[in-house]
Amino acid sequence: MSALKPKHQRLVLVVLALVALIGAGLLAAYALRNQASYFYLPEQMLANPPEIGQAVRLGGMVEQDSIETAADGVTLTFAVTGNDGSRVPVRFSGIAPDLFVEGSGVVAEGRLGPGGVFLADNLLAKHDENYVPRELQDMDQHQAAQMAEETTVGLE
Amino acid sequence: MIAELGLAALWLAAALAALQMAVGFMAVRNERASELAGLIRPAAIVQGVLVALSFAMLVWLFAVTDLSVKLVASNSHSMKPLVFKLSGTWGNHEGSMLLWVTVMGLAGALIALVERRLPERTMNATLAAQGVVSLGFYAFLLLSSNPFERLPTPAAEGMGLNPLLQDIGLAFHPPTLYLGYVGLSVAFSFAVGALLTRQVTPDFARAMRPWVLGAWVMLTVGITAGSYWAYYELGWGGWWFWDPVENASLMPWLAATALLHSASVLASRDALRTWTIMLGVVAFSMSMVGTFLVRSGILTSVHAFAVDPERGTFILVLLGIFIGGALLLFALRANTISEGERFALASREGALVFNNVMLSAILAIVLLGTLYPLLTEAFDVRVSVGPPYFNPVGAIFVIPMLAVMAVGPLLRWRQDRVDRIGREIALFAALVLAALVLFGLLADIALLPLLGLAFGLGLAVASLLPLRRRKLGRTPLATWGMVIAHFGIAVALIGMASESAFTKERLAAVAEGDSATVGPWTIVLQGVEPVAGPNWTAIQGRLAASYDGDEPDILTPQSRNFWAPPQQTTESALVTRWNGQLYAVIGDRAPDGRWQVRLWWKPFVPLIWYGGLLVALGGVLALLGRLLSDLRHRRLAVRIAERRADREAIA
């Protein structure tokens, strides 16, 4: 094969680059539209549950007095509550993150199992004072507003 | 007093950057202003000295824990070990930005001192462009993030440094990445300078190449160290999370890798002129995008620290000015850059172009995946983009890239025939196929790790082929660099694939004296005891781990409590053998008194980081080789000039 003419060479390069970049863009757009890991609040999960076994995320507050450790010592069960009192039971086997406590925000990664129990593979809690899972950013405010409402006398 | 001096030095340095910029642009536009041009190099050198002094003063304030300085009070603590007091200087927003401009100032000074290859006008334009970029960051520091701000009344005690950052690996991780980012800003200045004077020549590429190589080595080391840090410090047992902050360092690395290769083509073959300029602009843009994502708080991340939306806006404006300006200049000038040398598609250049395009496509995929959650959030849909997106979509472009990477270096420059290297291609294909069949039949492995193992093994052998039939002692360092870097990629790939294909995990609650098994390991919990460090207390488990009945190793994973600021961290414990790593974490105590223990057996996982270090080593060798040959050329040029002078004197 002989060296291409300069004009043709540039054209071939530009076309190759464009095809690859547009291809990457289209592929990315297609894959992102089908991105499996969607985020659910408890009320959304109850109203419109994802398919059983589909990888999703569930986020909310850990219900007070709901954390229980099973007999094997490594399985936790607890309930995640939403903003309107709806609750989803969760089962998780593993070491819970340091800041996983009752009454605090959590995102559980996993899938909905049969019987409406959410089976979590991974728990994301507040990591430290600087990091909150992005889905939980407003969660503390809800909590704060709710607490203010419940504890302030004479507030209409 | 020290704080005020530091601030004054910073203002002076900013003024010199402004001078550098103004005089530089005047000298480029107008030949008559070239008398003033003599000011540019000294301005760049003094600017570098001043900003370095300013940074040294901040380090001093941290070393003595001067609590009347707001930055020290909010990020340090008198009880902290000295090394973390020092690293605390850049473990926060203001300090890290000051480090950024310091490295940039020193880089400018170095260019002004040593760079003699470029025509004087291009040199002036380059230093002027550097002045613009520096000035933006000086403005950012002085107007919105003054590191030397005093408190009205000195604090009684400091707030402390985020315990996750109190780790020797992380203390030096951000500066490494910054050196990489800043090296790319120098490449950007070279690209803009060359565009302004339309002097896109092999000399320009040779002048730019050491900066790109240096930046690329630093990014490689930074990413490798960051990955290992996340692996052992976060206690999750994973080494890459596709977290926005990780992507922020990966994207400039991808662009720098492409730039490195195209700059080499320009330097040695005088081809790919506009493409190299474009990549110079894109690589630094990716550093800026990364900085913006990390600093703005627009994406929260486990790694992000010191975030502030207002500062994010400032960086966004800088990003718009620098990138927008450079792209506009590129659009105006690109078609006036004359053609370079021609080459056939089947040639070394052709292979490099192909891989450049693949790298750009991967970059696009990572960028889109990182920005997508921002986009959907505008429509109130919250999405997390993770491995299910990045791994398969990225692999579509990584795999052809690996294939071309394996055989491309065997092609000749300019023009070649693919069938000339038919035997080598057949060898590579046979290795990959054999590995696919072997692992596919023997083990139950998912598709991606299987492909990773097969291509990794094929590439490991193929990457050594360029050394065949060469006298090893006389092979240029740059060739060694390429071979070692490509081999390192193969090693890292094998480590990644092996980790994801063969990892065994065990989660158990064990009482003292009880045992648990994972893979070939048996682990006995000997005891759990409280321990204390300089600024933390911890629960420490003592685990006796024996491999296949061997003499046991003792592991001591901890769950640490820091008190300033109050926070709990997990300290994993590791045993490294030649064939992999055992990774142990201790968790909570179950109500019945048993302890949660999480164990992973990860065969060949250290290859990931050894591979990364090999890649960096390859870069260092290539850099050394280039610098040495430059030096030799310079000496030769001097000798020729001397001889000519002698001859003229005789005549």
Side-chain angles (χ1 to χ4, degrees), chain B residues 37-57:
Chain B
L39 285 174
I40 300 174
R41 280 182 198 252
I45 294 166
V46 178
Q47 185 209 324
V49 173
L50 281 171
V51 69
L53 274 177
S54 177
F55 182 72
M57 289 181 202

Side-chain angles (χ1 to χ4, degrees), chain B residues 67-125:
Chain B
L67 294 169
S68 68
V69 175
K70 189 176 167 195
L71 189 67
V72 177
S74 45
N75 290 289
S76 195
H77 194 282
S78 58
M79 301 267 290
K80 220 164 52 165
L82 182 64
V83 59
F84 296 128
K85 281 185 186 170
L86 296 182
S87 71
T89 313
W90 55 78
N92 59 75
H93 169 78
E94 287 83 354
S96 59
M97 283 290 125
L98 182 57
L99 175 65
W100 173 301
V101 289
T102 303
V103 180
M104 220 174 146
L106 290 174
L110 192 61
I111 302 172
L113 275 173
V114 304
E115 189 50 60
R116 297 270 180 267
R117 253 167 312 201
L118 289 181
E120 199 56 28
R121 263 183 88 225
T122 308
M123 193 61 221
N124 290 340

Side-chain angles (χ1 to χ4, degrees), chain A residues 1-2 4 6 9-10 13 20 27-28 35 57 71-74 93-94 98 128 131-132 134-135 137-138, chain B residues 162 164 300-301 339 342-343 353 357 377 382-384 389 393 396 415 507-509 565 567-568 594 596 598:
Chain A
M1 188 159 65
S2 66
L4 291 168
Q9 180 183 322
R10 185 174 274 202
L13 293 186
L27 198 66
Q35 177 64 23
R57 286 178 157 192
D72 66 358
V74 291
S93 286
D98 301 328
D128 64 51
Y131 173 65
V132 186
R134 36 186 266 98
E135 293 92 342
Q137 271 165 16
D138 310 329
Chain B
N162 182 342
L164 283 173
T300 54
S301 139
E339 291 295 337
R342 286 179 280 160
F343 57 85
V353 166
V357 172
E377 191 140 321
R382 286 177 174 178
V383 179
S384 310
Y389 161 76
V393 179
I396 292 174
Q415 193 173 351
L507 176 73
Q567 190 182 331
Q568 231 180 24
R594 289 181 296 170
Q596 290 185 342
R598 192 163 199 173

